[in-house]
C-alpha cells in the first residue's frame, strides 16, 4: 500500500466529513455485529475495504480523528452478559497487509530497524497460518488454569472460564514443572472445517438458524451462558503466544512453542521459522494452494520476528506490534443476494438445485450461479430465497453458497420447494432406487435437458475433446419447440429446430454438413444475446443466428468460421482412443479411470459388451458398482443404438495394440502429480497404462512410484511422509523405457 501523506493545511470538504461520519458509523456497527453478536452483516473483504478507506481519510485529514475512532481501538467491546476481566498484559491487534508488495514494504521497514541496531544477522521470521477463530487469553497460576477471557478491547475481555473448561484441548493443569508463578497463554479457539458443516446441519435440523462461518460458530459457542451447551460444540484451540511471562526462560517465539508443547498445550502444526523474504513468499504460496486441505479455515499468514529481544526493540504502536503482520489472502467469501433457487437436470437425470444470485466478483471472477447439490443440502444450509448469503469460491473451485446472513432477513424470504415433475419434460421425478437422496428424471431418452447435458459431455476434455462444441453450442444443437423451459441456466433458450434429437447423430451430422436441408436447419437456429455498448451489457436482448453469421446490408448470412471448425473437429474426434468413447457414453459411475482400465483389459467395445458382470467387476479399478452400471446401460436398446451409430460413422471402437511399447510397468502403481514439461496429465496416464501399469489418482502405501512435476502439492507431501520413491520427469521417462528409475 502506498503511503498517504497527511495534508493538514487543507480543510476537508463537507462531502469528506459526511463520508467519514458514515464510515465511522458503519465500521462500528459492523464490528459490533462481528465481535459481540457473532453475526457478521458484511463479508470480511467488504469490512476491510471500508476500514482502509477510513484510514485513508484520517491520514489525509488528521483533524477529523477522534479518540474513539474505530482505527484507535482493538477488537470489539466487552459484553455486559459476562464479567469483565483485566488482562495482565494488553492483547494487541495485528496490522493487515493485502498484497505481496505491501508485505515487502513492511518486512523492509522492520529489517531496516533491526539493521540500525547491528543485529540483522539474528533476524528470522516465524511464519504461521492465521486461524479464522476467536482470540482467547488463558491465565495459569502455578500451572493451574484460573481464568479464560476473550480479547475484548485489548485491555478488558469477557470472563468465559466455565465455557473454556469444556474444550478438551485446554488443559486444566500444565504438564512438567518449572512453570512461571503467573503466565498468560494466548491462542485461537476454532471449529474444524468438517465439524462446522456437521454442526450447521444439526442446527437446521433443530429448526435453528445456521452459523455464517466457522469463526462465528466458535464465538457464539464460547458466549453461551450455559457451559453445558458450549460442551456440545466441537471446539478446538491452538495457542500461539504468551502475554505476561515473568520468569519465562525462552528467548524466542519458536522456543516458546516448544515449551508450550512440553506443558501439554495445543500448538499449530502449520508454522516454520524462515530466514528470508523469499522463504516467506514460498510459505505463503504453499498454504495459499492448500488452505482448504487444513484442519481449520484460514484467511492469511502471520509473520513475526522470532527473537523476543528484537520484538522488544521494535516495540508497538497504540494498536499493533511493529514486529508482527498479517498477510491476508485475496477474499474468497463475499455477500450477495440469493434471487432464486432453480433446478438443473443433468446428463444422468439427476435433479440438482442451484442458486441464482446477484452477480458478484469473488476470487477474481464474476459469479451469479452456484450449486446446492440436492434438497437435503438446501435444508442443511438453511438458506431461503431472498436471503443475503455468504458465497465462497476458492480459486478455480466451483462457487459454493456457505449459508445465510440471518441478521439481514426482513420476513420477505421464502423456502425452496423441490419440484415433483421434471422442469424440462414434465416426467414425474423419483429416486433411482429406494434410499437415494438424489431424485432423477427417468425419461433419459427424450428429456431435452438430459440430451443437452449429454451432448455437452460428449465434447468434454475427458471424452472426445471436441473444440468449439461448448455449452452454448450444445444448447443450440438440441433446443427446439416442446415442453423445455423458456430459460436455460438463467438465460433465454434458443429458438429454431433442434438439429440433434439424440447424441447418436453427432457424427452423422458432421458427415451431412453439406446437405442443404441441414444447412437450412442450422441457419434457422437463433440465440438470445445481450446488446453491448463499448463492451458493456445494455440490458437489451436480441435474437441472432448461432451457427451462421449475422447478415448485414452488404453481406448475406453464411456458416460462421466457428461452425465450420466445429464440424471439422467432430470428424477428427472419431479417431480418439476407446477409453474416451466409453467416457462419452455418459454411463453412470464410468469416468476416465474406469474407462482406461476397461479399454486396457478388453481392448474393444465388442469385448466389453460381451463380458459378464463378474468379468467386468474383476478388472482392477472397476469393481461391482461400475460393472452393474455397465451391464444395465448396455441392456437398453437405444443405448446400444448410440454405439452402433457411432461405429457406423467411423468412431474408433477398438484400440490398436502398440507392440512398440513394452510392458515395462506390469504390476506397478504410479501416481503423477504437478505439471510435467513433455506430458499432459492425460498423456502421462496413457503412457503408464499402455505399458501395463496402473495410473492411480491417490497416494497410498501400495503406490510404487510418485512422479512429481512443477507445483506438486499434497500428494507429494504424503509420498514423502510414507517414504515412497519419488521421480522427476527424467526419472519417469527412464521408468517408462526400462521399468527401472
Amino acid at each position: 500500500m502506498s503511503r498517504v501523506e497527511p495534508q493538514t493545511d487543507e480543510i476537508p470538504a463537507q462531502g469528506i466529513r459526511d463520508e467519514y461520519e458514515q464510515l465511522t458509523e458503519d465500521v462500528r456497527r459492523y464490528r459490533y455485529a462481528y465481535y459481540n453478536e457473532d453475526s457478521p452483516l458484511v463479508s470480511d473483504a467488504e469490512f476491510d475495504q471500508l476500514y482502509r478507506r477510513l484510514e485513508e481519510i484520517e491520514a489525509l485529514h488528521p483533524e477529523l480523528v477522534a479518540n474513539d475512532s474505530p482505527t484507535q481501538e482493538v477488537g470489539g467491546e466487552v459484553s455486559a452478559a459476562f464479567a469483565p476481566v483485566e488482562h495482565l498484559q494488553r492483547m494487541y491487534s495485528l496490522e493487515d497487509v493485502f498484497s505481496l508488495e505491501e508485505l515487502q514494504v513492511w518486512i523492509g521497514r522492520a529489517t531496516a530497524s533491526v539493521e540500525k541496531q547491528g543485529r540483522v544477522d539474528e533476524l528470522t521470521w516465524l511464519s504461521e497460518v492465521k486461524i479464522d477463530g476467536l482470540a482467547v487469553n488463558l491465565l495459569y497460576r502455578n500451572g493451574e488454569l484460573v481464568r479464560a477471557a476473550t480479547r475484548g478491547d485489548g485491555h478488558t475481555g469477557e470472563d468465559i472460564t466455565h465455557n473454556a473448561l469444556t474444550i478438551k484441548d485446554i488443559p486444566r493443569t500444565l504438564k512438567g514443572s518449572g512453570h512461571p508463578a503467573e503466565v498468560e497463554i494466548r491462542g485461537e479457539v476454532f471449529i474444524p472445517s468438517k465439524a462446522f458443516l456437521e454442526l450447521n446441519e444439526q442446527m437446521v435440523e433443530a429448526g435453528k438458524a445456521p452459523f455464517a462461518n466457522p469463526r462465528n460458530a466458535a464465538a457464539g459457542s464460547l458466549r453461551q451462558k450455559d457451559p453445558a451447551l458450549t460442551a456440545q460444540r466441537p471446539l478446538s484451540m491452538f495457542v500461539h503466544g504468551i502475554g505476561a511471562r515473568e520468569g519465562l526462560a525462552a528467548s524466542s517465539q519458536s522456543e516458546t512453542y516448544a515449551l508450550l508443547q512440553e506443558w501439554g498445550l495445543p500448538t499449530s502444526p502449520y508454522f516454520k521459522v524462515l530466514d528470508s523474504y523469499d522463504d516467506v513468499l514460498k510459505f505463503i504460496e504453499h498454504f495459499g494452494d492448500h488452505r482448504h486441505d487444513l484442519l481449520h479455515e484460514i484467511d492469511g499468514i502471520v509473520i513475526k520476528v522470532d527473537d523476543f529481544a528484537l520484538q522488544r526493540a521494535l516495540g508497538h504502536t497504540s494498536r499493533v506490534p511493529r514486529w508482527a503482520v498479517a498477510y491476508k489472502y485475496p477474499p474468497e467469501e463475499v455477500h450477495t443476494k440469493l434471487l432464486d433457487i432453480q433446478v438443473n437436470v443433468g446428463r444422468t437425470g439427476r435433479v440438482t438445485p442451484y442458486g441464482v444470485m446477484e452477480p458478484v466478483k469473488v476470487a477474481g471472477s464474476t459469479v451469479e450461479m452456484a450449486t446446492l447439490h440436492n434438497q437435503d443440502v438446501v435444508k442443511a444450509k438453511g438458506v431461503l430465497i431472498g436471503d443475503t448469503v455468504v458465497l465462497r469460491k476458492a480459486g478455480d473451485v466451483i462457487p459454493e453458497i456457505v449459508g445465510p446472513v440471518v441478521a439481514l432477513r426482513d420476513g420477505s424470504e421464502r423456502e425452496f420447494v423441490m419440484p415433483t415433475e421434471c422442469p424440462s419434460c414434465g416426467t414425474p421425478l423419483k429416486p433411482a432406487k429406494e434410499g437415494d437422496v438424489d431424485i432423477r428424471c427417468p425419461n433419459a431418452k427424450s428429456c431435452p435437458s438430459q440430451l443437452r447435458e449429454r451432448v455437452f459431455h460428449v465434447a468434454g476434455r475427458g471424452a472426445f475433446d471436441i473444440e468449439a462444441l461448448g455449452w452454448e453450442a450444445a444448447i443450440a444443437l438440441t433446443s427446439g419447440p416442446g415442453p423445455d423451459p423458456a430459460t436455460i441456466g438463467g438465460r433465454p433458450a434458443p429458438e429454431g429446430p433442434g438439429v440433434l434429437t439424440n447424441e447418436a447423430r453427432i457424427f452423422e451430422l458432421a458427415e451431412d454438413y453439406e446437405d442443404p436441408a441441414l444447412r437450412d436447419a442450422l441457419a434457422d437456429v437463433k440465440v438470445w444475446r445481450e446488446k453491448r455498448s463499448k463492451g458493456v451489457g445494455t440490458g437489451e436482448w436480441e435474437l441472432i443466428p448461432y451457427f451462421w453469421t449475422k447478415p448485414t446490408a452488404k453481406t448475406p448470412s453464411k456458416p460462421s468460421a466457428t461452425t465450420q471448425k466445429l464440424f471439422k473437429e467432430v470428424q477428427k474426434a472419431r479417431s480418439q482412443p476407446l477409453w474416451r468413447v466409453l467416457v462419452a457414453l455418459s454411463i453412470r459411475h464410468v469416468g476416465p479411470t474406469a474407462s482406461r482400465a476397461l479399454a486396457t483389459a478388453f481392448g474393444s467395445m465388442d469385448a466389453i459388451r460381451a463380458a459378464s458382470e463378474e468379468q467386468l467387476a474383476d478388472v482392477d479399478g472397476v469393481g461391482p458398482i461400475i460393472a452393474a452400471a455397465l451391464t444395465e446401460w448396455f441392456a437398453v436398446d437405444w443405448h446400444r443404438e448410440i454405439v452402433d451409430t457411432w461405429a457406423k460413422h467411423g468412431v474408433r471402437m477398438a484400440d490398436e495394440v502398440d507392440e512398440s511399447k513394452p510392458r515395462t510397468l506390469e504390476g506397478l502403481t504410479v501416481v503423477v502429480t504437478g505439471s510435467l514439461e513433455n506430458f499432459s496429465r492425460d498423456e502421462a496416464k496413457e503412457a503408464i497404462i499402455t505399458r501395463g501399469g496402473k495410473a492411480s489418482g491417490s497416494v497410498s502405501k501400495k503406490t510404487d512410484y510418485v512422479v512429481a512435476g512443477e507445483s506438486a502439492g499434497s500428494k507429494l507431501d504424503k509420498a514423502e511422509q510414507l517414504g515412497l520413491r519419488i521421480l522427476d520427469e527424467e526419472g519417469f521417462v527412464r521408468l517408462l523405457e526400462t521399468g527401472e528409475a
Side-chain angles (χ1 to χ4, degrees):
M1 180 176 63
S2 59
R3 178 176 164 82
V4 181
E5 297 294 340
Q7 298 178 5
T8 55
D9 57 332
E10 284 189 16
I11 298 175
Q14 188 61 44
I16 292 291
R17 289 178 178 274
D18 292 345
E19 182 187 3
Y20 179 75
E21 289 175 5
Q22 186 63 52
L23 278 170
T24 301
E25 182 182 329
D26 289 345
V27 167
R28 281 203 187 103
R29 179 162 58 95
Y30 295 149
R31 179 182 274 174
Y32 186 85
Y34 184 88
Y35 284 107
N36 294 75
E37 297 181 341
D38 308 314
S39 182
L41 301 178
V42 294
S43 68
D44 287 354
E46 291 171 276
F47 180 84
D48 287 340
Q49 189 175 17
L50 293 171
Y51 191 87
R52 298 193 94 189
R53 175 58 180 157
L54 189 63
E55 289 182 312
E56 182 181 281
I57 292 176
E58 290 185 346
L60 289 167
H61 304 287
E63 66 275 18
L64 290 178
V65 183
N67 290 333
D68 62 349
S69 166
T71 64
Q72 310 302 305
E73 299 168 351
V74 174
E77 302 171 15
V78 178
S79 171
F82 295 88
V85 171
E86 290 285 333
H87 302 308
L88 302 185
Q89 184 171 307
R90 184 179 178 185
M91 293 182 72
Y92 287 86
S93 292
L94 284 175
E95 180 180 348
D96 292 331
V97 295
F98 297 87
S99 70
L100 296 178
E101 290 77 18
E102 291 179 44
L103 176 62
Q104 189 172 20
V105 169
W106 185 91
I107 285 188
R109 189 166 61 239
T111 302
S113 295
V114 173
E115 279 179 335
K116 289 178 182 177
Q117 303 168 42
R119 300 182 59 188
V120 73
D121 292 341
E122 303 170 36
L123 184 58
T124 55
W125 308 99
L126 185 139
S127 300
E128 59 193 346
V129 300
K130 186 175 183 293
I131 304 170
D132 198 9
L134 180 73
V136 169
N137 189 37
L138 306 175
L139 176 61
Y140 285 87
R141 289 195 181 118
N142 299 313
E144 297 292 329
L145 179 64
V146 296
R147 192 172 69 202
T150 63
R151 181 172 61 183
D153 63 7
H155 295 286
T156 305
E158 302 152 323
D159 190 332
I160 54 166
T161 307
H162 294 299
N163 290 348
L165 287 171
T166 68
I167 302 174
K168 64 181 185 303
D169 292 340
I170 300 176
R172 295 190 177 206
T173 304
L174 298 178
K175 293 181 180 178
S177 59
H179 313 118
E182 202 167 51
V183 61
E184 287 181 312
I185 311 293
R186 272 82 189 265
E188 207 82 11
V189 171
F190 63 91
I191 291 183
S193 302
K194 184 178 178 182
F196 171 69
L197 298 176
E198 295 170 353
L199 173 62
N200 260 357
E201 289 177 6
Q202 294 167 10
M203 296 286 286
V204 172
E205 196 67 37
K208 299 177 182 177
F211 290 105
N213 54 52
R215 188 266 170 203
N216 294 103
S221 299
L222 270 180
R223 288 195 173 103
Q224 294 291 326
K225 292 186 178 180
D226 182 359
L229 293 177
T230 303
Q232 296 172 15
R233 302 284 170 80
L235 295 170
S236 294
M237 183 179 188
F238 283 148
V239 298
H240 54 59
I242 289 186
R245 61 181 83 175
E246 186 176 347
L248 188 70
S251 62
S252 69
Q253 193 82 18
S254 51
E255 279 185 34
T256 302
Y257 282 9
L259 189 60
L260 293 173
Q261 285 181 319
E262 290 176 15
W263 291 350
L265 288 156
T267 59
S268 172
Y270 311 122
F271 81 91
K272 271 187 179 180
V273 178
L274 304 169
D275 294 325
S276 69
Y277 174 64
D278 287 342
D279 291 337
V280 172
L281 289 185
K282 290 175 184 175
F283 188 88
I284 289 170
E285 182 180 359
H286 173 80
F287 282 103
D289 291 340
H290 299 285
R291 60 189 293 188
H292 300 291
D293 302 334
L294 308 187
L295 175 68
H296 51 70
E297 290 295 316
I298 66 172
D299 60 0
I301 299 294
V302 177
I303 300 102
K304 304 174 181 175
V305 171
D306 189 36
D307 184 86
F308 284 155
L310 291 180
Q311 287 185 10
R312 288 192 293 272
L314 288 168
H316 299 74
T317 70
S318 62
R319 197 174 61 89
V320 300
R322 291 191 178 95
W323 47 264
V325 72
Y327 168 79
K328 301 287 284 287
Y329 286 118
E332 292 188 322
E333 285 189 357
V334 296
H335 288 187
T336 188
K337 196 80 168 177
L338 181 62
L339 303 175
D340 198 5
I341 298 177
Q342 299 179 5
V343 297
N344 177 62
V345 184
R347 60 191 173 91
T348 60
R350 179 186 174 193
V351 180
T352 306
Y354 64 93
V356 179
M357 297 159 296
E358 286 183 354
V360 62
K361 194 161 187 175
V362 54
S365 60
T366 300
V367 175
E368 51 189 315
M369 288 185 287
T371 181
L372 284 162
H373 301 292
N374 58 52
Q375 66 271 30
D376 286 1
V377 171
V378 178
K379 182 180 177 183
K381 289 181 181 290
V383 292
L384 304 176
I385 296 169
D387 266 335
T388 295
V389 294
V390 180
L391 178 71
R392 173 188 295 162
K393 182 172 181 284
D396 294 328
V397 177
I398 296 171
E400 174 195 8
I401 294 172
V402 179
V405 183
V406 178
L408 294 179
R409 285 179 175 166
D410 60 10
S412 64
E413 300 79 14
R414 57 191 172 88
E415 286 190 20
F416 164 72
V417 179
M418 195 73 173
T420 57
E421 295 181 347
C422 175
S424 187
C425 67
T427 303
L429 302 173
K430 62 179 182 180
K433 61 179 184 292
E434 189 175 347
D436 276 3
V437 173
D438 297 325
I439 60 172
R440 296 177 184 271
C441 170
N443 180 24
K445 183 176 182 180
S446 55
C447 173
S449 186
Q450 291 185 62
L451 171 60
R452 180 167 55 245
E453 295 279 357
R454 291 200 302 268
V455 169
F456 176 59
H457 175 74
V458 162
R461 286 183 60 189
F464 281 112
D465 195 14
I466 302 170
E467 198 173 343
L469 180 45
W471 172 240
E472 194 174 37
I475 294 173
L477 283 170
T478 56
S479 294
D484 213 20
T487 61
I488 297 170
R491 67 188 306 172
E495 296 187 6
V499 179
L500 283 181
T501 54
N502 59 61
E503 61 266 49
R505 288 202 64 220
I506 288 177
F507 295 97
E508 179 184 346
L509 201 66
E511 288 187 357
D512 294 345
Y513 176 56
E514 298 301 330
D515 184 299
L518 173 60
R519 290 166 73 88
D520 289 345
L522 290 172
D524 289 340
V525 177
K526 294 180 174 62
V527 295
W528 288 95
R529 288 270 172 82
E530 188 178 10
K531 292 182 179 179
R532 304 184 76 78
S533 174
K534 297 181 180 179
V536 179
T538 62
E540 296 181 20
W541 294 71
E542 62 177 338
L543 266 178
I544 63 169
Y546 181 80
F547 293 104
W548 285 48
T549 61
K550 187 178 179 180
T552 67
K554 295 182 179 180
T555 57
S557 183
K558 63 180 181 181
S560 68
T562 301
T563 300
Q564 295 176 51
K565 180 180 181 180
L566 165 63
F567 289 105
K568 286 178 183 176
E569 291 294 323
V570 171
Q571 290 177 329
K572 281 168 55 179
R574 293 179 297 189
S575 61
Q576 291 282 23
L578 177 61
W579 73 267
R580 287 183 174 274
V581 180
L582 285 166
V583 173
L585 291 173
S586 288
I587 304 171
R588 195 177 176 196
H589 305 305
V590 181
T593 301
S595 295
R596 284 190 178 96
L598 289 162
T600 302
F602 294 99
S604 72
M605 188 69 74
D606 286 343
I608 294 170
R609 290 171 69 168
S612 67
E613 190 170 324
E614 291 74 20
Q615 289 172 319
L616 293 169
D618 283 342
V619 175
D620 187 23
V622 177
I625 293 176
I626 295 175
L630 279 160
T631 304
E632 291 171 12
W633 194 89
F634 279 112
V636 178
D637 55 0
W638 66 271
H639 288 165
R640 297 192 300 272
E641 287 175 14
I642 294 172
V643 178
D644 294 339
T645 304
W646 284 1
K648 177 183 174 183
H649 291 281
V651 174
R652 179 172 151 187
M653 292 292 166
D655 284 337
E656 298 175 6
V657 178
D658 189 349
E659 300 294 347
S660 67
K661 294 178 181 176
R663 308 281 286 181
T664 52
L665 304 186
E666 199 77 58
L668 295 179
T669 298
V670 183
V671 174
V672 178
T673 181
S675 302
L676 301 180
E677 188 176 341
N678 298 303
F679 296 84
S680 68
R681 187 64 59 87
D682 284 340
E683 288 169 344
K685 289 183 177 179
E686 195 77 25
I688 295 165
I689 292 168
T690 56
R691 288 164 177 81
K694 177 182 177 182
S696 177
S698 59
V699 175
S700 71
K701 291 180 180 178
K702 296 181 180 179
T703 304
D704 294 291
Y705 292 96
V706 173
V707 179
E710 285 292 321
S711 302
S714 56
K715 292 178 185 177
L716 175 59
D717 295 339
K718 187 172 182 180
E720 290 172 342
Q721 292 169 7
L722 294 173
L724 302 178
R725 289 173 287 187
I726 300 169
L727 307 178
D728 58 12
E729 187 165 353
E730 183 180 347
F732 178 49
V733 171
R734 191 180 308 152
L735 182 70
L736 294 174
E737 292 172 350
T738 67
E740 295 182 3

